Amino acid sequence: MFASTPPPPYYVVIFTSLRNQYDEVGYEAMAERMLALAQCQAGFLGAESARGSDGLGITVSYWRDEASIQAWRNQLDHLEAQRLGRTRWYERYSLRVAHVERAYEFSPSPV
Amino acid sequence: MFASTPPPPYYVVIFTSLRNQYDEVGYEAMAERMLALAQCQAGFLGAESARGSDGLGITVSYWRDEASIQAWRNQLDHLEAQRLGRTRWYERYSLRVAHVERAYEFSPSPV
């Protein structure tokens, strides 16, 4: 559930979305398939995802460089998923591409 | 729930966390207080947050520049919240600072 990324620098895509209320099954299946496909893409470093009970979800995916993000954006099955997202699944979404400069981890040592 | 940010460039702090199972009330109160305080900080542009039923949460906060992030990190009440987070609330967390280069929005036009 936590992504294990290499030391920065690398890139992140932040996808914030608000789901609509129907086609839960089709959406879940596609979301799982897209994650599996992303994991096969060159330059994919990991992803983290959370959706609250209010329907707002945040998915962050980490990538080696901008070329990897570009290739994923244009992957054919992913293009179809993006189209379905706009027409069927999302009320609204925003997408940001950012360059990760620093990263920290906290995990208490076991006693 | 969606942050209304200005056109890039700006900065984002991505905070991914796994909650432990106790002190829900104290945590919620502090989380609300921290958001209210962050909104008073110079350079704060917005925040988005989601936590799933598995306990994994992602909070992204947007900032004008690195100096704003630094000032927020060293704000006294926030320092205390960070200490409580490490000792009381979080099993684990990761924090990344990134420079937002591009942003897109999707929201279907009303018919």
Side-chain angles (χ1 to χ4, degrees), chain A residues 5 10 16 48 66 91 93 95-96 102 104 106, chain B residues 5 10 16 48 66 93 95-96 102 104 106:
Chain A
T5 45
Y10 49 88
T16 304
E48 296 164 344
E66 292 203 82
E91 287 287 321
Y93 64 72
L95 194 143
R96 293 174 173 91
R102 299 194 301 281
Y104 312 89
F106 166 74
Chain B
T5 45
Y10 49 86
T16 305
E48 296 163 343
E66 291 202 82
Y93 65 72
L95 195 144
R96 293 175 174 91
R102 301 195 300 281
Y104 313 89
F106 165 75

mmCIF file with all atom_site columns, all heavy atoms in Angstrom, chain A residues 5 10 16 48 66 91 93 95-96 102 104 106, chain B residues 5 10 16 48 66 93 95-96 102 104 106:
data_model
loop_
_atom_site.group_PDB
_atom_site.id
_atom_site.type_symbol
_atom_site.label_atom_id
_atom_site.label_alt_id
_atom_site.label_comp_id
_atom_site.label_asym_id
_atom_site.label_entity_id
_atom_site.label_seq_id
_atom_site.pdbx_PDB_ins_code
_atom_site.Cartn_x
_atom_site.Cartn_y
_atom_site.Cartn_z
_atom_site.occupancy
_atom_site.B_iso_or_equiv
_atom_site.pdbx_formal_charge
_atom_site.auth_seq_id
_atom_site.auth_comp_id
_atom_site.auth_asym_id
_atom_site.auth_atom_id
_atom_site.pdbx_PDB_model_num
ATOM 1   N N   . THR A 1 5   ? 9.768   3.819  -3.196  1.00 0.00 ? 5   THR A N   1
ATOM 2   C CA  . THR A 1 5   ? 10.396  4.548  -4.298  1.00 0.00 ? 5   THR A CA  1
ATOM 3   C C   . THR A 1 5   ? 11.891  4.718  -4.035  1.00 0.00 ? 5   THR A C   1
ATOM 4   O O   . THR A 1 5   ? 12.323  4.711  -2.888  1.00 0.00 ? 5   THR A O   1
ATOM 5   C CB  . THR A 1 5   ? 9.734   5.930  -4.458  1.00 0.00 ? 5   THR A CB  1
ATOM 6   O OG1 . THR A 1 5   ? 9.585   6.519  -3.160  1.00 0.00 ? 5   THR A OG1 1
ATOM 7   C CG2 . THR A 1 5   ? 8.360   5.810  -5.089  1.00 0.00 ? 5   THR A CG2 1
ATOM 8   N N   . TYR A 1 10  ? 12.481  12.076 -8.878  1.00 0.00 ? 10  TYR A N   1
ATOM 9   C CA  . TYR A 1 10  ? 11.628  11.320 -9.792  1.00 0.00 ? 10  TYR A CA  1
ATOM 10  C C   . TYR A 1 10  ? 10.352  12.138 -9.973  1.00 0.00 ? 10  TYR A C   1
ATOM 11  O O   . TYR A 1 10  ? 10.276  13.266 -9.457  1.00 0.00 ? 10  TYR A O   1
ATOM 12  C CB  . TYR A 1 10  ? 11.351  9.902  -9.269  1.00 0.00 ? 10  TYR A CB  1
ATOM 13  C CG  . TYR A 1 10  ? 10.888  9.804  -7.843  1.00 0.00 ? 10  TYR A CG  1
ATOM 14  C CD1 . TYR A 1 10  ? 9.543   9.890  -7.505  1.00 0.00 ? 10  TYR A CD1 1
ATOM 15  C CD2 . TYR A 1 10  ? 11.804  9.609  -6.806  1.00 0.00 ? 10  TYR A CD2 1
ATOM 16  C CE1 . TYR A 1 10  ? 9.128   9.791  -6.188  1.00 0.00 ? 10  TYR A CE1 1
ATOM 17  C CE2 . TYR A 1 10  ? 11.399  9.514  -5.487  1.00 0.00 ? 10  TYR A CE2 1
ATOM 18  C CZ  . TYR A 1 10  ? 10.061  9.610  -5.178  1.00 0.00 ? 10  TYR A CZ  1
ATOM 19  O OH  . TYR A 1 10  ? 9.648   9.532  -3.874  1.00 0.00 ? 10  TYR A OH  1
ATOM 20  N N   . THR A 1 16  ? -6.712  13.424 -8.419  1.00 0.00 ? 16  THR A N   1
ATOM 21  C CA  . THR A 1 16  ? -7.789  13.583 -7.436  1.00 0.00 ? 16  THR A CA  1
ATOM 22  C C   . THR A 1 16  ? -9.112  13.462 -8.178  1.00 0.00 ? 16  THR A C   1
ATOM 23  O O   . THR A 1 16  ? -9.302  14.123 -9.201  1.00 0.00 ? 16  THR A O   1
ATOM 24  C CB  . THR A 1 16  ? -7.712  14.978 -6.774  1.00 0.00 ? 16  THR A CB  1
ATOM 25  O OG1 . THR A 1 16  ? -6.417  15.144 -6.198  1.00 0.00 ? 16  THR A OG1 1
ATOM 26  C CG2 . THR A 1 16  ? -8.753  15.107 -5.671  1.00 0.00 ? 16  THR A CG2 1
ATOM 27  N N   . GLU A 1 48  ? 0.108   4.821  -4.857  1.00 0.00 ? 48  GLU A N   1
ATOM 28  C CA  . GLU A 1 48  ? -0.630  4.787  -3.585  1.00 0.00 ? 48  GLU A CA  1
ATOM 29  C C   . GLU A 1 48  ? -2.009  5.367  -3.855  1.00 0.00 ? 48  GLU A C   1
ATOM 30  O O   . GLU A 1 48  ? -2.152  6.306  -4.632  1.00 0.00 ? 48  GLU A O   1
ATOM 31  C CB  . GLU A 1 48  ? 0.095   5.633  -2.525  1.00 0.00 ? 48  GLU A CB  1
ATOM 32  C CG  . GLU A 1 48  ? 1.465   5.082  -2.165  1.00 0.00 ? 48  GLU A CG  1
ATOM 33  C CD  . GLU A 1 48  ? 2.353   6.084  -1.431  1.00 0.00 ? 48  GLU A CD  1
ATOM 34  O OE1 . GLU A 1 48  ? 2.064   7.298  -1.453  1.00 0.00 ? 48  GLU A OE1 1
ATOM 35  O OE2 . GLU A 1 48  ? 3.361   5.634  -0.860  1.00 0.00 ? 48  GLU A OE2 1
ATOM 36  N N   . GLU A 1 66  ? 9.637   12.087 -17.158 1.00 0.00 ? 66  GLU A N   1
ATOM 37  C CA  . GLU A 1 66  ? 8.459   12.558 -17.896 1.00 0.00 ? 66  GLU A CA  1
ATOM 38  C C   . GLU A 1 66  ? 8.140   11.674 -19.098 1.00 0.00 ? 66  GLU A C   1
ATOM 39  O O   . GLU A 1 66  ? 6.972   11.531 -19.449 1.00 0.00 ? 66  GLU A O   1
ATOM 40  C CB  . GLU A 1 66  ? 8.696   13.993 -18.367 1.00 0.00 ? 66  GLU A CB  1
ATOM 41  C CG  . GLU A 1 66  ? 8.743   14.961 -17.220 1.00 0.00 ? 66  GLU A CG  1
ATOM 42  C CD  . GLU A 1 66  ? 8.405   16.359 -17.695 1.00 0.00 ? 66  GLU A CD  1
ATOM 43  O OE1 . GLU A 1 66  ? 7.212   16.690 -17.824 1.00 0.00 ? 66  GLU A OE1 1
ATOM 44  O OE2 . GLU A 1 66  ? 9.363   17.123 -17.943 1.00 0.00 ? 66  GLU A OE2 1
ATOM 45  N N   . GLU A 1 91  ? -17.353 12.330 -11.769 1.00 0.00 ? 91  GLU A N   1
ATOM 46  C CA  . GLU A 1 91  ? -18.032 13.616 -11.760 1.00 0.00 ? 91  GLU A CA  1
ATOM 47  C C   . GLU A 1 91  ? -17.040 14.722 -12.127 1.00 0.00 ? 91  GLU A C   1
ATOM 48  O O   . GLU A 1 91  ? -17.362 15.691 -12.784 1.00 0.00 ? 91  GLU A O   1
ATOM 49  C CB  . GLU A 1 91  ? -18.557 13.932 -10.351 1.00 0.00 ? 91  GLU A CB  1
ATOM 50  C CG  . GLU A 1 91  ? -19.747 13.125 -9.901  1.00 0.00 ? 91  GLU A CG  1
ATOM 51  C CD  . GLU A 1 91  ? -21.008 13.570 -10.631 1.00 0.00 ? 91  GLU A CD  1
ATOM 52  O OE1 . GLU A 1 91  ? -21.203 14.774 -10.852 1.00 0.00 ? 91  GLU A OE1 1
ATOM 53  O OE2 . GLU A 1 91  ? -21.787 12.677 -10.977 1.00 0.00 ? 91  GLU A OE2 1
ATOM 54  N N   . TYR A 1 93  ? -12.422 15.479 -12.014 1.00 0.00 ? 93  TYR A N   1
ATOM 55  C CA  . TYR A 1 93  ? -11.090 15.100 -11.555 1.00 0.00 ? 93  TYR A CA  1
ATOM 56  C C   . TYR A 1 93  ? -10.077 16.177 -11.877 1.00 0.00 ? 93  TYR A C   1
ATOM 57  O O   . TYR A 1 93  ? -10.312 17.067 -12.692 1.00 0.00 ? 93  TYR A O   1
ATOM 58  C CB  . TYR A 1 93  ? -10.639 13.745 -12.101 1.00 0.00 ? 93  TYR A CB  1
ATOM 59  C CG  . TYR A 1 93  ? -10.448 13.620 -13.605 1.00 0.00 ? 93  TYR A CG  1
ATOM 60  C CD1 . TYR A 1 93  ? -9.368  14.230 -14.257 1.00 0.00 ? 93  TYR A CD1 1
ATOM 61  C CD2 . TYR A 1 93  ? -11.310 12.847 -14.367 1.00 0.00 ? 93  TYR A CD2 1
ATOM 62  C CE1 . TYR A 1 93  ? -9.171  14.081 -15.621 1.00 0.00 ? 93  TYR A CE1 1
ATOM 63  C CE2 . TYR A 1 93  ? -11.121 12.697 -15.738 1.00 0.00 ? 93  TYR A CE2 1
ATOM 64  C CZ  . TYR A 1 93  ? -10.052 13.307 -16.352 1.00 0.00 ? 93  TYR A CZ  1
ATOM 65  O OH  . TYR A 1 93  ? -9.864  13.159 -17.704 1.00 0.00 ? 93  TYR A OH  1
ATOM 66  N N   . LEU A 1 95  ? -5.640  16.560 -12.288 1.00 0.00 ? 95  LEU A N   1
ATOM 67  C CA  . LEU A 1 95  ? -4.429  15.788 -12.504 1.00 0.00 ? 95  LEU A CA  1
ATOM 68  C C   . LEU A 1 95  ? -3.255  16.765 -12.487 1.00 0.00 ? 95  LEU A C   1
ATOM 69  O O   . LEU A 1 95  ? -3.305  17.808 -13.139 1.00 0.00 ? 95  LEU A O   1
ATOM 70  C CB  . LEU A 1 95  ? -4.554  15.105 -13.871 1.00 0.00 ? 95  LEU A CB  1
ATOM 71  C CG  . LEU A 1 95  ? -3.580  13.997 -14.190 1.00 0.00 ? 95  LEU A CG  1
ATOM 72  C CD1 . LEU A 1 95  ? -4.298  12.917 -14.977 1.00 0.00 ? 95  LEU A CD1 1
ATOM 73  C CD2 . LEU A 1 95  ? -2.420  14.545 -14.982 1.00 0.00 ? 95  LEU A CD2 1
ATOM 74  N N   . ARG A 1 96  ? -2.273  16.440 -11.693 1.00 0.00 ? 96  ARG A N   1
ATOM 75  C CA  . ARG A 1 96  ? -1.090  17.298 -11.602 1.00 0.00 ? 96  ARG A CA  1
ATOM 76  C C   . ARG A 1 96  ? 0.169   16.468 -11.791 1.00 0.00 ? 96  ARG A C   1
ATOM 77  O O   . ARG A 1 96  ? 0.245   15.361 -11.271 1.00 0.00 ? 96  ARG A O   1
ATOM 78  C CB  . ARG A 1 96  ? -1.040  18.007 -10.242 1.00 0.00 ? 96  ARG A CB  1
ATOM 79  C CG  . ARG A 1 96  ? -2.156  19.020 -10.018 1.00 0.00 ? 96  ARG A CG  1
ATOM 80  C CD  . ARG A 1 96  ? -2.118  19.566 -8.617  1.00 0.00 ? 96  ARG A CD  1
ATOM 81  N NE  . ARG A 1 96  ? -3.077  20.654 -8.406  1.00 0.00 ? 96  ARG A NE  1
ATOM 82  C CZ  . ARG A 1 96  ? -4.323  20.485 -7.967  1.00 0.00 ? 96  ARG A CZ  1
ATOM 83  N NH1 . ARG A 1 96  ? -4.773  19.275 -7.689  1.00 0.00 ? 96  ARG A NH1 1
ATOM 84  N NH2 . ARG A 1 96  ? -5.123  21.523 -7.792  1.00 0.00 ? 96  ARG A NH2 1
ATOM 85  N N   . ARG A 1 102 ? 12.281  15.952 -2.595  1.00 0.00 ? 102 ARG A N   1
ATOM 86  C CA  . ARG A 1 102 ? 12.702  15.410 -1.288  1.00 0.00 ? 102 ARG A CA  1
ATOM 87  C C   . ARG A 1 102 ? 11.675  14.393 -0.821  1.00 0.00 ? 102 ARG A C   1
ATOM 88  O O   . ARG A 1 102 ? 10.490  14.510 -1.138  1.00 0.00 ? 102 ARG A O   1
ATOM 89  C CB  . ARG A 1 102 ? 12.784  16.524 -0.237  1.00 0.00 ? 102 ARG A CB  1
ATOM 90  C CG  . ARG A 1 102 ? 13.780  17.618 -0.569  1.00 0.00 ? 102 ARG A CG  1
ATOM 91  C CD  . ARG A 1 102 ? 14.077  18.504 0.654   1.00 0.00 ? 102 ARG A CD  1
ATOM 92  N NE  . ARG A 1 102 ? 12.920  19.153 1.216   1.00 0.00 ? 102 ARG A NE  1
ATOM 93  C CZ  . ARG A 1 102 ? 12.333  20.245 0.730   1.00 0.00 ? 102 ARG A CZ  1
ATOM 94  N NH1 . ARG A 1 102 ? 12.816  20.799 -0.371  1.00 0.00 ? 102 ARG A NH1 1
ATOM 95  N NH2 . ARG A 1 102 ? 11.291  20.779 1.323   1.00 0.00 ? 102 ARG A NH2 1
ATOM 96  N N   . TYR A 1 104 ? 10.759  11.693 2.778   1.00 0.00 ? 104 TYR A N   1
ATOM 97  C CA  . TYR A 1 104 ? 11.068  11.225 4.135   1.00 0.00 ? 104 TYR A CA  1
ATOM 98  C C   . TYR A 1 104 ? 10.155  10.059 4.464   1.00 0.00 ? 104 TYR A C   1
ATOM 99  O O   . TYR A 1 104 ? 9.028   9.980  3.969   1.00 0.00 ? 104 TYR A O   1
ATOM 100 C CB  . TYR A 1 104 ? 10.820  12.329 5.170   1.00 0.00 ? 104 TYR A CB  1
ATOM 101 C CG  . TYR A 1 104 ? 11.409  13.646 4.797   1.00 0.00 ? 104 TYR A CG  1
ATOM 102 C CD1 . TYR A 1 104 ? 10.683  14.566 4.041   1.00 0.00 ? 104 TYR A CD1 1
ATOM 103 C CD2 . TYR A 1 104 ? 12.718  13.971 5.165   1.00 0.00 ? 104 TYR A CD2 1
ATOM 104 C CE1 . TYR A 1 104 ? 11.231  15.782 3.672   1.00 0.00 ? 104 TYR A CE1 1
ATOM 105 C CE2 . TYR A 1 104 ? 13.270  15.185 4.795   1.00 0.00 ? 104 TYR A CE2 1
ATOM 106 C CZ  . TYR A 1 104 ? 12.522  16.091 4.050   1.00 0.00 ? 104 TYR A CZ  1
ATOM 107 O OH  . TYR A 1 104 ? 13.071  17.279 3.682   1.00 0.00 ? 104 TYR A OH  1
ATOM 108 N N   . PHE A 1 106 ? 8.679   7.673  7.881   1.00 0.00 ? 106 PHE A N   1
ATOM 109 C CA  . PHE A 1 106 ? 8.633   7.418  9.319   1.00 0.00 ? 106 PHE A CA  1
ATOM 110 C C   . PHE A 1 106 ? 8.002   6.058  9.561   1.00 0.00 ? 106 PHE A C   1
ATOM 111 O O   . PHE A 1 106 ? 6.936   5.740  9.039   1.00 0.00 ? 106 PHE A O   1
ATOM 112 C CB  . PHE A 1 106 ? 7.809   8.474  10.054  1.00 0.00 ? 106 PHE A CB  1
ATOM 113 C CG  . PHE A 1 106 ? 7.464   8.070  11.459  1.00 0.00 ? 106 PHE A CG  1
ATOM 114 C CD1 . PHE A 1 106 ? 8.439   8.083  12.456  1.00 0.00 ? 106 PHE A CD1 1
ATOM 115 C CD2 . PHE A 1 106 ? 6.187   7.631  11.783  1.00 0.00 ? 106 PHE A CD2 1
ATOM 116 C CE1 . PHE A 1 106 ? 8.126   7.686  13.754  1.00 0.00 ? 106 PHE A CE1 1
ATOM 117 C CE2 . PHE A 1 106 ? 5.870   7.238  13.080  1.00 0.00 ? 106 PHE A CE2 1
ATOM 118 C CZ  . PHE A 1 106 ? 6.846   7.260  14.069  1.00 0.00 ? 106 PHE A CZ  1
ATOM 119 N N   . THR B 1 5   ? -6.370  25.627 -7.130  1.00 0.00 ? 5   THR B N   1
ATOM 120 C CA  . THR B 1 5   ? -5.009  26.159 -7.146  1.00 0.00 ? 5   THR B CA  1
ATOM 121 C C   . THR B 1 5   ? -4.811  27.083 -8.342  1.00 0.00 ? 5   THR B C   1
ATOM 122 O O   . THR B 1 5   ? -5.484  26.942 -9.362  1.00 0.00 ? 5   THR B O   1
ATOM 123 C CB  . THR B 1 5   ? -3.994  25.001 -7.191  1.00 0.00 ? 5   THR B CB  1
ATOM 124 O OG1 . THR B 1 5   ? -4.441  24.047 -8.160  1.00 0.00 ? 5   THR B OG1 1
ATOM 125 C CG2 . THR B 1 5   ? -3.892  24.314 -5.841  1.00 0.00 ? 5   THR B CG2 1
ATOM 126 N N   . TYR B 1 10  ? 3.896   25.660 -8.673  1.00 0.00 ? 10  TYR B N   1
ATOM 127 C CA  . TYR B 1 10  ? 3.799   25.799 -7.225  1.00 0.00 ? 10  TYR B CA  1
ATOM 128 C C   . TYR B 1 10  ? 4.307   24.492 -6.625  1.00 0.00 ? 10  TYR B C   1
ATOM 129 O O   . TYR B 1 10  ? 4.808   23.625 -7.366  1.00 0.00 ? 10  TYR B O   1
ATOM 130 C CB  . TYR B 1 10  ? 2.367   26.135 -6.799  1.00 0.00 ? 10  TYR B CB  1
ATOM 131 C CG  . TYR B 1 10  ? 1.286   25.259 -7.380  1.00 0.00 ? 10  TYR B CG  1
ATOM 132 C CD1 . TYR B 1 10  ? 0.934   24.060 -6.761  1.00 0.00 ? 10  TYR B CD1 1
ATOM 133 C CD2 . TYR B 1 10  ? 0.612   25.601 -8.550  1.00 0.00 ? 10  TYR B CD2 1
ATOM 134 C CE1 . TYR B 1 10  ? -0.062  23.252 -7.293  1.00 0.00 ? 10  TYR B CE1 1
ATOM 135 C CE2 . TYR B 1 10  ? -0.379  24.790 -9.079  1.00 0.00 ? 10  TYR B CE2 1
ATOM 136 C CZ  . TYR B 1 10  ? -0.706  23.613 -8.444  1.00 0.00 ? 10  TYR B CZ  1
ATOM 137 O OH  . TYR B 1 10  ? -1.690  22.813 -8.977  1.00 0.00 ? 10  TYR B OH  1
ATOM 138 N N   . THR B 1 16  ? 1.454   10.484 2.888   1.00 0.00 ? 16  THR B N   1
ATOM 139 C CA  . THR B 1 16  ? 0.771   9.187  2.889   1.00 0.00 ? 16  THR B CA  1
ATOM 140 C C   . THR B 1 16  ? 0.938   8.580  4.264   1.00 0.00 ? 16  THR B C   1
ATOM 141 O O   . THR B 1 16  ? 2.058   8.516  4.781   1.00 0.00 ? 16  THR B O   1
ATOM 142 C CB  . THR B 1 16  ? 1.387   8.243  1.838   1.00 0.00 ? 16  THR B CB  1
ATOM 143 O OG1 . THR B 1 16  ? 1.365   8.890  0.573   1.00 0.00 ? 16  THR B OG1 1
ATOM 144 C CG2 . THR B 1 16  ? 0.602   6.942  1.736   1.00 0.00 ? 16  THR B CG2 1
ATOM 145 N N   . GLU B 1 48  ? -6.144  18.589 -0.267  1.00 0.00 ? 48  GLU B N   1
ATOM 146 C CA  . GLU B 1 48  ? -7.108  17.534 -0.574  1.00 0.00 ? 48  GLU B CA  1
ATOM 147 C C   . GLU B 1 48  ? -6.734  16.309 0.253   1.00 0.00 ? 48  GLU B C   1
ATOM 148 O O   . GLU B 1 48  ? -5.551  16.038 0.456   1.00 0.00 ? 48  GLU B O   1
ATOM 149 C CB  . GLU B 1 48  ? -7.057  17.185 -2.067  1.00 0.00 ? 48  GLU B CB  1
ATOM 150 C CG  . GLU B 1 48  ? -7.476  18.352 -2.955  1.00 0.00 ? 48  GLU B CG  1
ATOM 151 C CD  . GLU B 1 48  ? -7.057  18.194 -4.411  1.00 0.00 ? 48  GLU B CD  1
ATOM 152 O OE1 . GLU B 1 48  ? -6.175  17.352 -4.704  1.00 0.00 ? 48  GLU B OE1 1
ATOM 153 O OE2 . GLU B 1 48  ? -7.594  18.928 -5.244  1.00 0.00 ? 48  GLU B OE2 1
ATOM 154 N N   . GLU B 1 66  ? 8.811   26.984 -1.535  1.00 0.00 ? 66  GLU B N   1
ATOM 155 C CA  . GLU B 1 66  ? 9.440   26.160 -0.495  1.00 0.00 ? 66  GLU B CA  1
ATOM 156 C C   . GLU B 1 66  ? 9.498   26.869 0.846   1.00 0.00 ? 66  GLU B C   1
ATOM 157 O O   . GLU B 1 66  ? 9.432   26.232 1.899   1.00 0.00 ? 66  GLU B O   1
ATOM 158 C CB  . GLU B 1 66  ? 10.854  25.774 -0.928  1.00 0.00 ? 66  GLU B CB  1
ATOM 159 C CG  . GLU B 1 66  ? 10.849  24.811 -2.090  1.00 0.00 ? 66  GLU B CG  1
ATOM 160 C CD  . GLU B 1 66  ? 12.151  24.034 -2.154  1.00 0.00 ? 66  GLU B CD  1
ATOM 161 O OE1 . GLU B 1 66  ? 12.288  23.041 -1.424  1.00 0.00 ? 66  GLU B OE1 1
ATOM 162 O OE2 . GLU B 1 66  ? 13.035  24.449 -2.925  1.00 0.00 ? 66  GLU B OE2 1
ATOM 163 N N   . TYR B 1 93  ? 4.378   6.631  8.035   1.00 0.00 ? 93  TYR B N   1
ATOM 164 C CA  . TYR B 1 93  ? 4.016   7.625  7.040   1.00 0.00 ? 93  TYR B CA  1
ATOM 165 C C   . TYR B 1 93  ? 5.181   7.944  6.121   1.00 0.00 ? 93  TYR B C   1
ATOM 166 O O   . TYR B 1 93  ? 6.346   7.652  6.437   1.00 0.00 ? 93  TYR B O   1
ATOM 167 C CB  . TYR B 1 93  ? 3.442   8.907  7.666   1.00 0.00 ? 93  TYR B CB  1
ATOM 168 C CG  . TYR B 1 93  ? 4.363   9.749  8.541   1.00 0.00 ? 93  TYR B CG  1
ATOM 169 C CD1 . TYR B 1 93  ? 5.407   10.499 8.000   1.00 0.00 ? 93  TYR B CD1 1
ATOM 170 C CD2 . TYR B 1 93  ? 4.144   9.826  9.911   1.00 0.00 ? 93  TYR B CD2 1
ATOM 171 C CE1 . TYR B 1 93  ? 6.214   11.290 8.797   1.00 0.00 ? 93  TYR B CE1 1
ATOM 172 C CE2 . TYR B 1 93  ? 4.951   10.615 10.727  1.00 0.00 ? 93  TYR B CE2 1
ATOM 173 C CZ  . TYR B 1 93  ? 5.984   11.348 10.158  1.00 0.00 ? 93  TYR B CZ  1
ATOM 174 O OH  . TYR B 1 93  ? 6.788   12.130 10.964  1.00 0.00 ? 93  TYR B OH  1
ATOM 175 N N   . LEU B 1 95  ? 6.470   11.239 3.390   1.00 0.00 ? 95  LEU B N   1
ATOM 176 C CA  . LEU B 1 95  ? 6.226   12.634 3.051   1.00 0.00 ? 95  LEU B CA  1
ATOM 177 C C   . LEU B 1 95  ? 7.130   12.988 1.874   1.00 0.00 ? 95  LEU B C   1
ATOM 178 O O   . LEU B 1 95  ? 8.321   12.668 1.890   1.00 0.00 ? 95  LEU B O   1
ATOM 179 C CB  . LEU B 1 95  ? 6.588   13.465 4.279   1.00 0.00 ? 95  LEU B CB  1
ATOM 180 C CG  . LEU B 1 95  ? 6.111   14.912 4.323   1.00 0.00 ? 95  LEU B CG  1
ATOM 181 C CD1 . LEU B 1 95  ? 5.754   15.267 5.762   1.00 0.00 ? 95  LEU B CD1 1
ATOM 182 C CD2 . LEU B 1 95  ? 7.215   15.820 3.839   1.00 0.00 ? 95  LEU B CD2 1
ATOM 183 N N   . ARG B 1 96  ? 6.532   13.573 0.864   1.00 0.00 ? 96  ARG B N   1
ATOM 184 C CA  . ARG B 1 96  ? 7.318   13.960 -0.314  1.00 0.00 ? 96  ARG B CA  1
ATOM 185 C C   . ARG B 1 96  ? 7.022   15.412 -0.669  1.00 0.00 ? 96  ARG B C   1
ATOM 186 O O   . ARG B 1 96  ? 5.881   15.843 -0.598  1.00 0.00 ? 96  ARG B O   1
ATOM 187 C CB  . ARG B 1 96  ? 6.976   13.065 -1.511  1.00 0.00 ? 96  ARG B CB  1
ATOM 188 C CG  . ARG B 1 96  ? 7.405   11.613 -1.346  1.00 0.00 ? 96  ARG B CG  1
ATOM 189 C CD  . ARG B 1 96  ? 6.918   10.772 -2.504  1.00 0.00 ? 96  ARG B CD  1
ATOM 190 N NE  . ARG B 1 96  ? 7.427   9.399  -2.462  1.00 0.00 ? 96  ARG B NE  1
ATOM 191 C CZ  . ARG B 1 96  ? 6.810   8.385  -1.872  1.00 0.00 ? 96  ARG B CZ  1
ATOM 192 N NH1 . ARG B 1 96  ? 5.655   8.569  -1.269  1.00 0.00 ? 96  ARG B NH1 1
ATOM 193 N NH2 . ARG B 1 96  ? 7.348   7.172  -1.890  1.00 0.00 ? 96  ARG B NH2 1
ATOM 194 N N   . ARG B 1 102 ? 2.681   20.885 -14.181 1.00 0.00 ? 102 ARG B N   1
ATOM 195 C CA  . ARG B 1 102 ? 1.510   20.941 -15.058 1.00 0.00 ? 102 ARG B CA  1
ATOM 196 C C   . ARG B 1 102 ? 0.271   20.512 -14.279 1.00 0.00 ? 102 ARG B C   1
ATOM 197 O O   . ARG B 1 102 ? 0.366   19.708 -13.358 1.00 0.00 ? 102 ARG B O   1
ATOM 198 C CB  . ARG B 1 102 ? 1.672   19.992 -16.258 1.00 0.00 ? 102 ARG B CB  1
ATOM 199 C CG  . ARG B 1 102 ? 2.873   20.282 -17.117 1.00 0.00 ? 102 ARG B CG  1
ATOM 200 C CD  . ARG B 1 102 ? 2.783   19.558 -18.476 1.00 0.00 ? 102 ARG B CD  1
ATOM 201 N NE  . ARG B 1 102 ? 2.708   18.104 -18.344 1.00 0.00 ? 102 ARG B NE  1
ATOM 202 C CZ  . ARG B 1 102 ? 3.733   17.311 -18.118 1.00 0.00 ? 102 ARG B CZ  1
ATOM 203 N NH1 . ARG B 1 102 ? 4.944   17.830 -17.959 1.00 0.00 ? 102 ARG B NH1 1
ATOM 204 N NH2 . ARG B 1 102 ? 3.576   16.004 -18.041 1.00 0.00 ? 102 ARG B NH2 1
ATOM 205 N N   . TYR B 1 104 ? -4.221  19.756 -14.867 1.00 0.00 ? 104 TYR B N   1
ATOM 206 C CA  . TYR B 1 104 ? -5.389  19.686 -15.730 1.00 0.00 ? 104 TYR B CA  1
ATOM 207 C C   . TYR B 1 104 ? -6.621  19.467 -14.873 1.00 0.00 ? 104 TYR B C   1
ATOM 208 O O   . TYR B 1 104 ? -6.546  18.871 -13.809 1.00 0.00 ? 104 TYR B O   1
ATOM 209 C CB  . TYR B 1 104 ? -5.283  18.489 -16.711 1.00 0.00 ? 104 TYR B CB  1
ATOM 210 C CG  . TYR B 1 104 ? -3.961  18.405 -17.390 1.00 0.00 ? 104 TYR B CG  1
ATOM 211 C CD1 . TYR B 1 104 ? -2.906  17.690 -16.822 1.00 0.00 ? 104 TYR B CD1 1
ATOM 212 C CD2 . TYR B 1 104 ? -3.746  19.050 -18.599 1.00 0.00 ? 104 TYR B CD2 1
ATOM 213 C CE1 . TYR B 1 104 ? -1.670  17.612 -17.434 1.00 0.00 ? 104 TYR B CE1 1
ATOM 214 C CE2 . TYR B 1 104 ? -2.514  18.985 -19.225 1.00 0.00 ? 104 TYR B CE2 1
ATOM 215 C CZ  . TYR B 1 104 ? -1.473  18.265 -18.635 1.00 0.00 ? 104 TYR B CZ  1
ATOM 216 O OH  . TYR B 1 104 ? -0.257  18.208 -19.247 1.00 0.00 ? 104 TYR B OH  1
ATOM 217 N N   . PHE B 1 106 ? -10.865 18.219 -15.110 1.00 0.00 ? 106 PHE B N   1
ATOM 218 C CA  . PHE B 1 106 ? -11.991 17.717 -15.897 1.00 0.00 ? 106 PHE B CA  1
ATOM 219 C C   . PHE B 1 106 ? -13.262 17.850 -15.085 1.00 0.00 ? 106 PHE B C   1
ATOM 220 O O   . PHE B 1 106 ? -13.338 17.446 -13.934 1.00 0.00 ? 106 PHE B O   1
ATOM 221 C CB  . PHE B 1 106 ? -11.813 16.251 -16.294 1.00 0.00 ? 106 PHE B CB  1
ATOM 222 C CG  . PHE B 1 106 ? -13.075 15.617 -16.785 1.00 0.00 ? 106 PHE B CG  1
ATOM 223 C CD1 . PHE B 1 106 ? -13.552 15.912 -18.056 1.00 0.00 ? 106 PHE B CD1 1
ATOM 224 C CD2 . PHE B 1 106 ? -13.805 14.761 -15.971 1.00 0.00 ? 106 PHE B CD2 1
ATOM 225 C CE1 . PHE B 1 106 ? -14.738 15.351 -18.511 1.00 0.00 ? 106 PHE B CE1 1
ATOM 226 C CE2 . PHE B 1 106 ? -14.995 14.182 -16.430 1.00 0.00 ? 106 PHE B CE2 1
ATOM 227 C CZ  . PHE B 1 106 ? -15.451 14.475 -17.704 1.00 0.00 ? 106 PHE B CZ  1
#
